[in-house]
Amino acid sequence: MPASFRTLLPLWLLLLTLAPLSRTSAQEPASDTPHALRFNWTRDGILTGAAGALWISSETVFKDDLAPARCRWCDRAPDGTDTLNRLDRWGRGIAGSSAESRKRADTWSNIIGFAGLPLGLLGAQYVAGHATGASGEYFAQDATIMIETAVLASVANQAVKFAVGRERPFVHVLSDADKGLTAHPTDNNLSFYSGHTNLAFSLAVSAGTVAALRGYKHQALVWGVGLPLAASVGLLRMGADKHYLSDVLTGAVIGSAFGVAVPLLLHGRTHDAPSASGRASSLSLNPSFGRQMVGVSGAF
């Protein structure tokens, strides 16, 4: 079995872990109108803006000061012997064999992660919501919850990256003299854990969780668009030789955890009427959805 194919298996297992979330919620009879969620524009605007500013400033303003100049997790013994673990050594089989192919994978990971995935998710969320009679206000709230989740997950990711200081795969194979000659030396030791993958899964899973909380019809469309694209981002980061398999899997798990936790803890269903029709929804989640969330959290 080719190494690149075998590397797909752990990500497929993660998708299978998340799949019951869509299947179980789909078993609940769809409501005629979407459920209202807890949301406050002032609170959530401030939280999203503050977290976003912290994330962006840590990447653009303070990165030179915060990023470790030398690796703390170097995957080498003091005598220079390579100590890279077997899982990551095996996973590197997906990395491009040429500089051109690695650059192409890097470019596509940015295109999909920062454009294709967000736009695809917003489109799927709109279609699912529109089919259930959701208003433009609900769509704006859904988009804000997705962004809020993503920036909170990204702030946590930045903190771990700066603290851990793991050397990137493509830097690991360079001589000490060449490591300072990379295109972005301050980025050399920020391998753990993958920020692109963390961002992608936080967006995909938060969109799916919000669709399930709302009770949208065709919510499987949101999962069907989000999870494959998020998985492709992680694989492309490995293809670009920017991250090890353990970096990508950790980013997928933690991003997914934020994708479930932020909507569930901050934006659960309210006891208010789900729409102008005046139908009241339950204060708590329905039992099947609650059980499935427990099951997913246990997998993390």
Side-chain angles (χ1 to χ4, degrees), residues 36-49 137-138 140-142 144-145 148 214 262-263 265-268 270 272:
L37 303 183
R38 296 194 307 271
F39 191 90
N40 182 285
W41 280 109
T42 301
R43 179 201 68 173
D44 293 299
I46 291 174
L47 181 59
T48 303
E137 173 76 6
Y138 275 13
Q141 290 180 6
D142 293 353
T144 302
I145 294 171
E148 179 181 46
R214 293 284 195 197
V262 172
L265 296 178
L266 297 182
H267 304 285
T270 73
D272 299 326

Side-chain angles (χ1 to χ4, degrees), residues 185-259:
T186 57
D187 204 52
N188 284 358
N189 302 309
L190 300 178
S191 188
F192 186 84
Y193 51 94
S194 171
H196 281 67
T197 310
N198 171 73
L199 178 68
F201 274 90
S202 67
L203 284 170
V205 176
S206 65
T209 302
V210 168
L213 287 169
R214 293 284 195 197
Y216 286 158
K217 296 176 183 178
H218 314 305
Q219 59 190 254
L221 174 65
V222 178
W223 294 101
V225 169
L227 292 180
L229 286 176
S232 72
V233 171
L235 293 171
L236 286 167
R237 296 308 288 168
M238 293 174 62
D241 212 19
K242 293 295 183 72
H243 290 287
Y244 294 109
L245 176 57
S246 60
D247 302 330
V248 167
L249 289 178
T250 302
V253 170
I254 296 180
S256 298
F258 271 90

Side-chain angles (χ1 to χ4, degrees), residues 90-214:
W90 166 73
R92 284 202 71 201
I94 200 173
S97 57
S98 67
E100 182 180 353
S101 63
R102 292 192 294 270
K103 183 178 180 180
R104 185 163 54 247
D106 186 25
T107 299
W108 276 106
S109 71
N110 289 324
I111 292 174
I112 296 175
F114 295 116
L117 174 64
L119 292 175
L121 283 172
L122 287 173
Q125 195 82 358
Y126 177 81
V127 170
H130 184 72
T132 318
S135 65
E137 173 76 6
Y138 275 13
F139 177 71
Q141 290 180 6
D142 293 353
T144 302
I145 294 171
M146 291 164 57
I147 297 171
E148 179 181 46
T149 302
V151 295
L152 288 171
S154 296
V155 168
N157 173 245
Q158 288 288 80
V160 173
K161 276 189 170 187
F162 292 144
V164 171
R166 188 182 194 185
E167 193 171 58
R168 292 191 184 273
F170 80 95
V171 180
H172 182 69
V173 299
L174 298 176
S175 66
D176 289 340
D178 291 334
K179 290 179 180 180
L181 303 178
T182 60
H184 305 285
T186 57
D187 204 52
N188 284 358
N189 302 309
L190 300 178
S191 188
F192 186 84
Y193 51 94
S194 171
H196 281 67
T197 310
N198 171 73
L199 178 68
F201 274 90
S202 67
L203 284 170
V205 176
S206 65
T209 302
V210 168
L213 287 169
R214 293 284 195 197

Side-chain angles (χ1 to χ4, degrees), residues 265-292:
L265 296 178
L266 297 182
H267 304 285
R269 292 178 184 171
T270 73
H271 63 285
D272 299 326
S275 73
S277 65
R279 297 186 179 185
S281 62
S282 171
L283 175 62
S284 60
L285 299 177
N286 68 75
S288 65
F289 190 81
R291 286 194 299 271
Q292 101 188 30

